[in-house]
Amino acid sequence: MHLVVSTPDAAETAQMAAALRAALPRFDLQATVGEWQEGLPADPRADYGIGWKPSPDFFPAHPNLKAFFNAGAGLDHLLNNPAMTGRLPGDLPIIRLEDAGMGQQMSDYCRHQVLDWMYGFSRYRSAQARGAWVDWDEAQALTRSQMTIGVLGLGVLGRRVAQDFAGDGFTVLGHARQVRAIEGVRFVPRLGDFLAQSRVLILLVPSTASTHHLLRAETLALLPRGAFLINIARGALVNEGDLVAALDQGHLAGACLDVFGQEPLPPGHRFWQHPKVRVTPHISGPTLLQPAVEQMLGKLARLRQGLPVSGLADRSAP
Ligand code: GLV
């Protein structure tokens, strides 16, 4: 069996390939592991592809793949990417990473942001910068019961974030295309009803043709006045101009954005200096190499035994 690894960065590819080689014996897998970058020759020996954001040429260069293991949660770079059209075979099984340590990081990220807003820590940060001692202000204080958390998207990661907030005693609402029963989380079937009750909206839906600009003027307007937005999914879910308008008009109290329509966020973009926007550079849920490798090889071992694996992309979904 021959595995081929590809990412946009040769050093990262080499690191992943080395981790795979070292872990193979633990899964009783005998395989050689190659590395591929744009410009290298085609390799018809490759049985399985593994990696993140491979170049569209990766697939024609490896015509005999039996599956591709995506070393991340999002599949938009493969399935919602015009450059892949005619290159990524329509019947190639794609297996995404499921949590593998991302859920904890994303949950911590969201909890950090929510608690920071709730207790108004930015006020004390700016007071310290001015050397000012400001008193606690009851009028500005928010309570847990005012911070109803709405999690949009209840896949592996959304479920984890929702469960953690529920475990912390917050009121948590969930919405997704399919009804999901999660303990402590109230599923709200209509998007409009869900948005209208979400004081904090956390986006964890995939970026597909049907979720493009899901948050735009009309849907942002459905959120309660004073709502906060946390986007840790993909920038394409939000119409950025409409978001700035909703913040400037005072309808939204703040936005914490980890993902953007264009990454890196271009210099001079409104978000950099906007007083109500917190920008982080797509760090809310990085792939952790070791758990990712373990999970992918565990699934590969199952595939080789003819057993079902979870995390298989639904290629028919819009
Ligand atoms: C990161 O953005 C991922 O999709 O894993």
Side-chain angles (χ1 to χ4, degrees):
M1 175 169 56
H2 184 63
L3 316 181
V4 61
V5 184
S6 193
T7 75
D9 178 75
E12 203 182 309
T13 301
Q15 211 185 10
M16 191 176 289
L20 286 163
R21 284 185 201 107
L24 280 165
R26 288 204 294 284
F27 293 87
D28 278 334
L29 289 168
Q30 299 226 326
T32 47
V33 184
E35 295 160 37
W36 191 85
Q37 292 299 127
E38 185 75 46
L40 286 179
D43 187 355
R45 285 176 313 151
D47 296 295
Y48 295 93
I50 297 186
W52 177 245
K53 291 193 178 169
S55 138
D57 291 339
F58 176 80
F59 295 100
H62 301 96
N64 296 320
L65 295 183
K66 298 178 184 66
F68 181 79
F69 289 87
N70 183 55
L75 296 171
D76 45 310
H77 61 103
L78 298 172
L79 304 185
N80 193 20
N81 177 359
M84 285 291 174
T85 309
R87 305 190 146 232
L88 173 66
D91 55 356
L92 182 71
I94 297 176
I95 298 142
R96 60 142 57 92
L97 212 55
E98 295 173 288
D99 194 323
M102 271 182 240
Q104 173 80 71
Q105 299 178 84
M106 292 178 127
S107 180
D108 285 349
Y109 179 100
C110 294
R111 286 196 274 189
H112 170 85
Q113 298 300 340
V114 168
L115 294 177
D116 193 276
W117 273 318
M118 203 171 108
Y119 289 105
F121 283 113
S122 61
R123 191 163 163 259
Y124 308 120
R125 281 194 291 270
S126 60
Q128 183 181 355
R130 302 192 305 277
W133 183 272
V134 293
D135 286 326
W136 181 70
D137 178 358
E138 189 168 0
Q140 296 198 30
L142 292 166
T143 60
R144 234 160 239 253
S145 61
Q146 291 171 304
M147 300 294 278
T148 298
I149 311 285
V151 181
L152 185 56
L154 296 170
V156 174
L157 299 171
R159 171 183 290 260
R160 170 65 194 262
V161 170
Q163 275 171 333
D164 283 351
F165 273 107
D168 285 349
F170 285 89
T171 300
V172 184
L173 311 177
H175 177 83
R177 268 190 316 170
Q178 285 159 17
V179 179
R180 308 258 181 189
I182 304 172
E183 202 184 329
V185 178
R186 183 154 64 80
F187 187 86
V188 184
R190 282 178 36 120
L191 178 66
D193 296 340
F194 164 80
L195 293 175
Q197 298 172 69
S198 298
R199 179 74 181 265
V200 177
L201 175 64
I202 299 177
L203 300 183
L204 266 167
V205 274
S207 171
T208 63
S210 55
T211 59
H212 183 78
H213 287 187
L214 184 61
L215 271 293
R216 52 184 182 276
E218 306 91 83
T219 38
L220 289 166
L222 298 175
L223 291 165
R225 195 170 175 79
F228 297 94
L229 173 71
I230 299 179
N231 188 2
I232 50 172
R234 285 292 181 268
L237 302 177
V238 179
N239 179 316
E240 295 183 343
D242 289 358
L243 173 60
V244 170
L247 291 161
D248 288 346
Q249 287 152 14
H251 184 65
L252 256 64
C256 174
L257 308 172
D258 187 47
V259 288
F260 304 89
Q262 188 183 338
E263 292 179 13
L265 186 64
H269 193 288
R270 274 296 301 279
F271 287 154
W272 282 118
Q273 301 299 334
H274 199 289
K276 290 184 176 174
V277 176
R278 294 185 194 158
V279 169
T280 54
H282 204 140
I283 46 73
S284 62
T287 294
L288 302 174
L289 182 61
Q290 212 49 47
V293 159
E294 302 279 326
Q295 185 180 107
M296 293 189 291
L297 289 184
K299 288 183 182 181
L300 176 58
R302 285 181 65 85
L303 277 186
R304 301 289 291 176
Q305 291 162 32
L307 296 170
V309 293
S310 59
L312 191 65
D314 176 3
R315 309 248 348 230
S316 66

